[in-house]
Amino acid sequence: MKKKIGQLFVNLFFFGEDAFSGNKLTNEEILSRYHIGGARYMNADKTKVQGLLNDLQKASKIPLLIAANCDSGGNGACSDGTYIASGAHAEAAGDTDVAYHAGLVSGREEAALGVNVNFDPCVDILYNWRNTIVNTRAYGTNADTVIKYTQAYLDGLTDGQEIIRCIKHFPGDGTEERDQHLILGVNELSPAEWDDSFGKVYRHHIDHGVEMIMAGHIALPYYQQKLNPNLKDEDILPATLAEELIQGLLKEQLGFNSLVITDASHMLGMTSAMRREDYVPGAIAAGCDMFLFFNQLDEDYNYMLNGYKKGVITEERLNDAVRRILGLKAKLNLHVKQAEGKLTLPESALDIIGCEEHLKWQREAADKGISLIKDTQHNLPINPTKHKRVRLYYLEGETKGIAASDNKLVTNLVAKLEERGYVVTINDGTTRVKGSINQYHEEVDLALVVANVVGYGAQNNYRIQWKTAMSNEVPWYVHEVPTVFVSLNYTTHLHDATMVKTFVNAYHTNSNLLDSLLDKLEGKAEFKGGHNELVWTEKWQAKL
């Protein structure tokens, strides 16, 4: 019985100190004591990751489902993996080949590490421009676009690779602006509206055989109340704890007959719902089959075990969940590979990570996806004769979070500009002092504003954060010198910078993308990427 309970859990492994629970057990002790069914890990370079995953499979009596979050390429599986295209990037490219290659590279590079489950793509629909938790991960603003690109991604993911396909975040994010890491997310669509949008997406992927669905800590109140009219507003729960949504809507009404996994259990959308000793077994009782991450190993394990002993989890429900878990392991032939000594991988398997073919697809994606949103002042193209003296304004988000900014970006960008003949000075945005306007004209031929605003789980949404009050980096200079604004992550920065007249979305910071970006700014290559209407953030000034 205890081994069945253990199979319900996916543990998060760290390289170094366990930042969530302070666990001091060795990996081997975790496996032997708790019999976990799955693993995920915090990112590291490819050699460290493969070594960890090999060690975990060697030490586990029942082979593990091992997952990574690859939504845009192998960079989600290891720090030196290959980015191809995010959801927003793929949508902008307007080419299913880009999404397909993102999936293909994700599958190839994570499989080389020993990963056999991919916790992506996001099949959320981006309705609300203020939503930054899925802004770059969403493939579109309507069901048909999301289906088009996520299916291409999944086709690539499993092309030649044995990877379990997992889509998320049921019942669907993107209608509001808040982040379920920090608060209960709410999808407030009516049942009819949901059926025609998110329901359409899930029906498509279920019909095409997706093996795993991640339930989000997101409420779908009107649908839950339709399925159970006796529910009051105070009874509404996140999908991860709502039997009406997991068992009733997903498994019965939509006919999903494989494995449902919770999103991470430390997220506030779940933790604020009830006591942990109640929601740990409650998630399985509601119809979820795996529980993502321990808080404290022994404590959570016993919460789950006691939930079974008290009848919260019935014998039938426990056996059904374990059957689904073992069924996916059998589909991957993990037991056969284990018996034949093929469950671990040689270091030579890592050669595919960052290979030239993958870098070629990275260059192609950059060329197809970089989007010129507007150039109403006709500031483009630029060149090192007319625009030799460049003032670089660098805007960033979190620097020490889970999704920290690239600390090498400024150095790399300056070097690339200087190689092309520009002279670059970096603005100090920590002051309000603008100085003499005439002197500014003498020193600056081009203002280049680069936003690399990233962040994860520390704010409900992320916007431009100027370095100080009325900082001199705020684009006061748009009528003084040609000004070009480039975003390397979020697509909706025009809301905070409507005054800029030239705006580009470029989606990432890798070297190939920066080269392609500069070629396009200089007119050596055309802008091929498109955009959806959310880039204007419902502001008429943004289009001027």
Side-chain angles (χ1 to χ4, degrees):
M1 181 53 58
K2 291 186 176 181
K3 290 182 179 179
K4 288 185 180 180
I5 294 296
Q7 285 296 299
L8 302 175
F9 285 99
V10 177
N11 186 54
L12 182 59
F13 289 89
F14 292 83
F15 295 91
E17 182 180 354
D18 182 338
F20 287 129
S21 68
N23 164 56
K24 302 298 182 183
L25 296 179
T26 66
N27 293 339
E28 292 76 12
E29 288 171 332
I30 292 172
L31 294 168
S32 64
R33 289 190 192 184
Y34 300 106
H35 320 290
I36 62 171
R40 238 210 71 196
Y41 56 91
M42 295 303 286
N43 219 340
D45 67 68
K46 60 186 180 182
T47 302
K48 287 183 179 178
V49 171
Q50 190 195 62
L52 169 66
L53 303 192
N54 279 344
D55 288 345
L56 292 178
Q57 293 290 27
K58 287 176 185 176
S60 184
K61 292 182 179 180
I62 300 175
L64 296 166
L65 294 174
I66 298 179
N69 283 8
C70 289
D71 60 352
S72 54
N75 59 315
C78 59
S79 58
D80 39 0
T82 310
Y83 169 90
I84 299 296
S86 65
H89 187 162
E91 180 197 11
D95 187 341
T96 53
D97 281 351
V98 172
Y100 174 87
H101 286 142
L104 180 60
V105 172
S106 294
R108 284 181 171 185
E109 296 196 354
E110 65 189 350
L113 299 165
V115 171
N116 52 40
V117 178
N118 191 56
F119 282 166
D120 279 293
C122 293
V123 298
D124 299 311
I125 304 173
L126 188 64
Y127 285 116
N128 191 328
W129 70 263
R130 294 179 182 272
N131 187 309
T132 52
I133 191 60
V134 296
N135 172 273
T136 58
R137 296 190 291 170
Y139 286 79
T141 59
N142 60 74
D144 290 337
T145 303
V146 169
I147 289 170
K148 176 181 178 181
Y149 293 111
T150 56
Q151 186 58 55
Y153 175 98
L154 289 168
D155 289 343
L157 181 73
T158 53
D159 186 353
Q161 305 299 329
E162 292 183 300
I163 301 287
I164 295 299
R165 297 164 293 174
C166 177
I167 58 175
K168 62 187 182 186
H169 306 82
F170 178 84
D173 202 350
T175 64
E176 66 156 356
E177 68 182 79
R178 299 175 304 167
D179 177 0
Q180 63 269 24
H181 289 85
L182 301 173
I183 200 165
L184 173 64
V186 181
N187 182 324
E188 294 185 324
L189 295 184
S190 70
E193 291 170 329
W194 190 90
D195 284 337
D196 289 339
S197 55
F198 292 93
K200 183 177 182 179
V201 174
Y202 279 97
R203 282 191 297 272
H204 169 89
H205 287 303
I206 290 168
D207 290 345
H208 284 74
V210 68
E211 298 97 343
M212 186 183 292
I213 291 176
M214 180 178 287
H217 307 308
I218 300 169
L220 190 63
Y222 301 125
Y223 222 125
Q224 191 180 2
Q225 288 174 326
K226 175 188 176 183
L227 295 170
N228 184 354
N230 294 322
L231 289 177
K232 299 177 182 179
D233 286 351
E234 58 265 32
D235 300 323
I236 296 299
L237 291 169
T240 39
L241 298 170
E243 184 176 2
E244 296 86 359
L245 299 181
I246 301 300
Q247 190 64 37
L249 177 56
L250 181 56
K251 289 187 175 180
E252 295 176 9
Q253 188 169 311
L254 295 180
F256 182 62
N257 193 33
S258 194
L259 190 147
V260 178
I261 188 168
T262 73
D263 205 342
S265 65
H266 56 266
M267 295 166 64
L268 270 290
M270 177 178 252
T271 65
S272 62
M274 61 184 70
R275 290 162 61 95
R276 190 167 181 94
E277 66 178 307
D278 295 324
Y279 67 73
V280 171
I284 305 302
C288 295
D289 304 298
M290 294 194 85
F291 190 86
L292 193 56
F293 305 152
F294 291 90
N295 175 53
Q296 201 281 332
L297 286 157
D298 198 62
E299 195 170 68
D300 278 356
Y301 182 87
N302 282 294
Y303 285 159
M304 192 74 78
L305 180 60
N306 289 337
Y308 165 74
K309 290 178 178 178
K310 294 175 181 178
V312 175
I313 303 172
T314 65
E315 186 78 25
E316 180 183 16
R317 176 79 272 272
L318 176 61
N319 288 337
D320 179 51
V322 173
R323 175 180 58 84
R324 293 168 189 263
I325 297 165
L326 297 180
L328 287 190
K329 294 182 179 185
K331 180 174 183 177
L332 292 167
N333 289 307
L334 297 186
H335 59 300
V336 175
K337 293 177 181 178
Q338 185 183 55
E340 296 177 349
K342 298 179 180 178
L343 204 54
T344 58
L345 296 171
E347 189 173 353
S348 59
L350 300 176
D351 292 345
I352 198 169
I353 296 176
C355 69
E356 179 51 39
E357 184 175 38
H358 293 182
L359 293 176
K360 176 176 76 72
W361 292 332
Q362 184 185 75
R363 290 190 290 270
E364 290 175 358
D367 180 52
K368 292 176 180 179
I370 296 174
S371 310
L372 176 62
I373 308 302
K374 68 174 183 178
D375 183 27
T376 58
Q377 208 173 39
H378 307 295
N379 291 317
L380 300 180
I382 64 172
N383 64 72
T385 301
K386 185 177 179 181
H387 308 96
K388 188 175 186 67
R389 298 167 299 180
V390 176
R391 181 67 52 86
L392 177 63
Y393 298 83
Y394 178 59
L395 315 176
E396 62 183 349
E398 291 179 9
T399 57
K400 296 181 180 179
I402 292 176
S405 301
D406 181 357
N407 58 13
K408 298 179 181 178
L409 171 62
V410 172
T411 301
N412 293 343
L413 182 58
V414 169
K416 289 178 182 294
L417 286 165
E418 290 176 344
E419 287 173 4
R420 293 173 183 243
Y422 299 92
V423 176
V424 183
T425 57
I426 300 172
N427 184 71
D428 177 9
T430 63
T431 176
R432 289 181 285 172
V433 177
K434 298 180 180 67
S436 163
I437 304 302
N438 288 334
Q439 183 177 351
Y440 187 84
H441 291 158
E442 293 173 0
E443 295 177 351
V444 180
D445 301 315
L446 172 72
L448 178 59
V449 188
V450 175
N452 186 34
V453 178
V454 301
Y456 193 79
Q459 298 172 206
N460 269 305
N461 48 56
Y462 286 85
R463 301 259 291 274
I464 292 173
Q465 178 68 59
W466 311 107
K467 293 184 182 66
T468 191
M470 294 172 286
S471 166
N472 67 13
E473 65 192 353
V474 181
W476 58 269
Y477 36 81
V478 292
H479 294 292
E480 304 297 340
V481 298
T483 300
V484 176
F485 189 114
V486 177
S487 173
L488 297 175
N489 191 34
Y490 296 125
T491 63
T492 51
H493 285 316
L494 272 174
H495 179 74
D496 293 319
T498 54
M499 72 290 286
V500 299
K501 309 302 181 184
T502 303
F503 187 88
V504 176
N505 278 329
Y507 310 104
H508 202 254
T509 62
N510 69 78
S511 180
N512 281 328
L513 188 143
L514 294 179
D515 288 336
S516 183
L517 168 67
L518 293 178
D519 283 346
K520 294 176 188 296
L521 292 179
E522 290 187 326
K524 297 174 181 176
E526 64 177 312
F527 286 94
K528 299 176 182 177
H531 61 83
N532 59 51
E533 287 301 301
L534 297 189
V535 300
W536 306 117
T537 69
E538 301 175 335
K539 297 294 181 291
W540 57 266
Q541 313 102 299
K543 296 184 178 183
L544 301 179

